Amino acid sequence: MFPVLHVGPLSINTSILILLAGLWIALWVGVKQNPTFAHSSSPYETLVLIAILAGIIGARLGYAAQHISAFINNPIALITPSPIMLDPPAGILVAFLAGLVYGYRHSLKFWNTLDQLTAPAAVFVSTIHLANLTSGNAYGAPTQLPWCVHLWSECRHPTQVYAFILALGIVIFILYTARYNFPAGFQFWVFIGLSALARLIIEPFRGDSVILFGIFRQAQIIAWLVLLISLFQISKRIKPIPKE
């Protein structure tokens, strides 16, 4: 793993660097799909910035709520730029709510907005897996396969690489389907469904899974539910019309 990049006297957190690069690439993809995406008057650019800031704050506060004693003793840690002290579910929830409020106040169409943000989101998610590879998060179960990586004193599945490859495939498929006119919400649900399927594939190789009742993996149960909901939503929007 490469948690820190040393450039002369500077020590740069590699995960943060990758995530910033991923955000830039994601916004570039958004602009390529819709040239007005990054226009100064575009509501999408503002929505993305608000969601990102709200998500970071929400993720940090969510983490602090779970480790409140540590932050009471050291309040300055709340503003420490560490990607480890974040609670992703809390960040995603706060970012979604912030985006929802902004979209409502500016009369943005809900499903159309989600479709506009789907490709950039898919690109950014793929870079999260690379960031996990450098930090050692989302690590794999022990294995003796020749392509294993040495982590936490054992040779493990490079699940971050598996997840990145699947995420890259999802990005390609999303960009391909963008050539067709589908009902609003189609691209979003395709992305959610494929992401859930990817998690189902990767989860058996993970070494940090939460096990319920000694047999069920919590992430797989959630992924199955999300996949079923996605398939139902996709089935309602499955009639494509080629763009002229």
Side-chain angles (χ1 to χ4, degrees), residues 22-241:
L23 179 60
W24 182 84
I25 296 172
L27 292 175
W28 178 80
V29 169
V31 172
K32 283 295 183 180
Q33 280 203 310
N34 182 1
T36 65
F37 188 91
H39 194 275
S40 58
S41 61
S42 171
Y44 298 117
E45 181 188 37
T46 305
L47 185 150
V48 169
L49 292 176
I50 289 176
I52 290 172
L53 291 175
I56 293 173
I57 294 172
R60 177 53 57 85
L61 292 179
Y63 183 90
Q66 298 175 48
H67 306 82
I68 193 166
S69 58
F71 286 90
I72 288 177
N73 297 329
N74 185 23
I76 197 68
L78 276 172
I79 57 175
T80 301
S82 171
I84 297 176
M85 295 190 296
L86 297 173
D87 180 32
I92 292 172
L93 177 61
V94 174
F96 178 77
L97 292 176
L100 194 64
V101 171
Y102 177 85
Y104 176 77
R105 290 174 62 87
H106 290 79
S107 302
L108 296 179
K109 294 181 179 180
F110 183 74
W111 293 116
N112 295 85
T113 300
L114 290 180
D115 283 340
Q116 287 286 338
L117 301 177
T118 293
V123 170
F124 184 68
V125 166
S126 67
T127 62
I128 291 177
H129 300 307
L130 290 181
N132 286 337
L133 179 63
T134 62
S135 66
N137 292 334
Y139 57 87
T143 182
Q144 296 302 318
L145 291 172
W147 57 82
C148 67
V149 294
H150 194 75
L151 181 65
W152 313 133
S153 303
E154 291 191 82
C155 209
R156 300 177 178 275
H157 280 285
T159 47
Q160 306 95 330
V161 177
Y162 301 163
F164 173 73
I165 293 172
L166 290 177
L168 196 59
I170 292 173
V171 170
I172 293 172
F173 187 79
I174 290 297
L175 293 177
Y176 173 79
T177 58
R179 300 189 301 172
Y180 296 89
N181 286 323
F182 287 94
F186 178 84
Q187 273 203 305
F188 170 75
W189 284 114
V190 166
F191 169 58
I192 296 298
L194 289 176
S195 297
L197 180 60
R199 187 58 185 265
L200 285 171
I201 295 172
I202 296 295
E203 191 63 23
F205 303 104
R206 291 276 291 262
D208 59 347
S209 302
V210 176
I211 306 298
L212 301 178
F213 309 112
I215 186 172
F216 299 109
R217 293 174 184 258
Q218 177 179 284
Q220 285 188 316
I221 294 175
I222 295 173
W224 273 117
L225 291 174
V226 172
L227 180 59
L228 290 174
I229 294 172
S230 300
L231 289 174
F232 172 73
Q233 292 292 335
I234 291 170
S235 68
K236 297 163 55 177
R237 302 171 167 87
I238 200 63
K239 299 177 182 178
I241 303 174

